[in-house]
Every structure is written in structure tokens, then in C-alpha cells.
């Protein structure tokens, strides 16, 4: 369950749509990366409500959960699931802190694949994700979104993640939706709403 939650832990707002995606030209991709990297450098904190939908082959119904994400530069990240159960994951000080409905524990992130996943999530708020050496990135577009698709290079990460897709609404520099395909074929979609940028965040958001 920790793996599923942590893998589902990636960023921000919109809804499903079925538009035709086309590859960006080299010039378009370069301009897109430059814009996002420049504008997200100003982000110190980020907060949003999210809806996470997980589709698993062996289940007839999707698993839908709700919660709140909080991020504080340079490397603190909190995912707190509130419905239909309470479950919190906090990335801080190179550790993962977990509160599973009152049962608390911690994991050394340095020795886990989660460290790389955490870096990608945090990188999405400061533009550094595009230069992460762990992933090959391809860029696409459609009428509503710019899209960055991340494919892991290492065999270690490929054991968990097949691909991560981040969607950016046109003319915006923050991720609005995340689609992830795991090695098993299971998929996770996260849609964010009520996003707040650079609003104060209580220290309690990063504690259990």
C-alpha cells in the first residue's frame, strides 16, 4: 500500500479529455521548458485538493480517494488522504513518514526508489524535473494542454513505473493533472483543484 500511495504521489488540476495529441517541435519543446522552468522558480509553496483514481486489472471498480497535497521548497512534500480513509505520507529530511489511520512509521528514503519519485514531484514545482537524469522526456500538445511524458531509464525504476504523464493547461506553468502507468499495467490519475501558490503553510502540514 505504501508503494501505491507513494507512486500515486505526483501533482495538480483538470479533468480527463480525449483530444488528439501531437508531438511538439524542437522549438516548441524548448520554449515550453524555458517558460515552465522560469515561472516555477518563483514558487515557494504549493497547496491543492486532489482526487486520485486508481484502476487495477483485478478490480471491477476503480479506487477513488480524496485528499490534500502541500509542498514547501526545497524538499518537503505532504500527501494527506482524507476520504474514504485517513492516510498520510510526508517526505522530509530524506525520510518518508507515514500515518496509516493512527499507526505511524518511517522509511529511509535514501535507500528507496521513493527518493527519485519524490525528486520528480518536487521538481514539478521548480522546473527541475525536465533535467532529471533518471528519465527520458518527450513533449506533446493538444488544443487544451501541453504534456510532458517521463519514461524511466533505470531498470530499478522500471520495476515500478512504466510512464508518468504531466499535463499543463495552455498558458499555465503548473501541472494540472498526473497520469501514471505502473509496470503492472495499473494506472493512477490525480486531478487537482483549489490550487494555492505561495500561500503560508502551517508546519503541522509536514508532521504526523
Amino acid at each position: 500500500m505504501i508503494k501505491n500511495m507513494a507512486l500515486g504521489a505526483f501533482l495538480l488540476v483538470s479533468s480527463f479529455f480525449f483530444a488528439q495529441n501531437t508531438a511538439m517541435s524542437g522549438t516548441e519543446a524548448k520554449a515550453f521548458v524555458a517558460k515552465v522552468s522560469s515561472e516555477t522558480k518563483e514558487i515557494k509553496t504549493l497547496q491543492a485538493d486532489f482526487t486520485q483514481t486508481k484502476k487495477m486489472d483485478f478490480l471491477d471498480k476503480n479506487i477513488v480517494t480524496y485528499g490534500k497535497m502541500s509542498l514547501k521548497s526545497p524538499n518537503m512534500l505532504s500527501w494527506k488522504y482524507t476520504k474514504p480513509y485517513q492516510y498520510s505520507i510526508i517526505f522530509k529530511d530524506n525520510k518518508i513518514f507515514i500515518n496509516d489511520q493512527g499507526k505511524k512509521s518511517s522509511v529511509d528514503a535514501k535507500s528507496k526508489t521513493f527518493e527519485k519519485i519524490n525528486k520528480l514531484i518536487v521538481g514539478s514545482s521548480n522546473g527541475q524535473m525536465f533535467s532529471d537524469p533518471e528519465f527520458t522526456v518527450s513533449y506533446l500538445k493538444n488544443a487544451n494542454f501541453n504534456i510532458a511524458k517521463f519514461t524511466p531509464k533505470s531498470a530499478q525504476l522500471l520495476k515500478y513505473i512504466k510512464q508518468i504523464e504531466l499535463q499543463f493547461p495552455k498558458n499555465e506553468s503548473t501541472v494540472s493533472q498526473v497520469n501514471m502507468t505502473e509496470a503492472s499495467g495499473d494506472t493512477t490519475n490525480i486531478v487537482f483543484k483549489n490550487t494555492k501558490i505561495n500561500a503560508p503553510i502551517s508546519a503541522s502540514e509536514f508532521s504526523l
Side-chain angles (χ1 to χ4, degrees), residues 9-12 32-33 36-43 46 69 71-77 79 91 114-133 135 148 150 166 168 173-175:
F10 291 119
L11 305 175
L12 302 118
F32 166 67
V33 171
V36 173
S37 298
S38 175
E39 295 184 1
T40 53
K41 284 180 181 178
E42 304 301 319
I43 297 177
L46 191 64
M69 184 276 298
L71 183 151
K72 186 174 182 180
S73 181
N75 58 9
M76 290 198 294
L77 179 66
W79 289 82
F91 295 82
F114 302 144
E115 179 192 22
K116 297 180 180 64
I117 297 169
N118 183 39
K119 282 176 59 181
L120 182 60
I121 298 172
V122 174
S124 69
S125 71
N126 57 26
Q128 294 180 5
M129 58 186 166
F130 298 123
S131 58
D132 192 320
F135 296 90
F150 295 77
L166 304 183
F168 300 74
S173 296
T174 53
V175 180

Side-chain angles (χ1 to χ4, degrees), residues 14-111:
S14 191
S15 59
F16 281 116
F17 67 98
F18 299 93
Q20 181 65 43
N21 296 335
T22 59
M24 290 186 190
S25 67
T27 300
E28 289 173 326
K30 185 175 180 179
F32 166 67
V33 171
K35 174 181 170 63
V36 173
S37 298
S38 175
E39 295 184 1
T40 53
K41 284 180 181 178
E42 304 301 319
I43 297 177
K44 303 303 180 185
T45 67
L46 191 64
Q47 301 171 79
D49 298 323
F50 68 84
T51 300
Q52 177 177 302
T53 303
K54 188 170 182 63
K55 183 177 181 180
M56 306 177 75
D57 287 341
F58 63 88
L59 295 178
D60 293 331
K61 293 184 178 180
N62 294 339
I63 301 173
V64 181
T65 51
Y66 304 88
K68 179 179 180 181
M69 184 276 298
S70 300
L71 183 151
K72 186 174 182 180
S73 181
N75 58 9
M76 290 198 294
L77 179 66
S78 168
W79 289 82
K80 294 187 176 182
Y81 295 80
T82 56
K83 293 181 181 179
Y85 50 77
Q86 294 186 336
Y87 189 99
S88 299
I89 301 175
I90 295 173
F91 295 82
K92 183 173 64 172
D93 301 329
N94 291 316
K95 285 186 176 292
I96 302 170
F97 299 89
I98 301 156
N99 187 338
D100 184 357
Q101 301 183 84
K103 184 178 179 180
K104 299 180 182 180
S105 59
S106 65
V107 180
D108 186 356
K110 282 189 174 182
S111 62

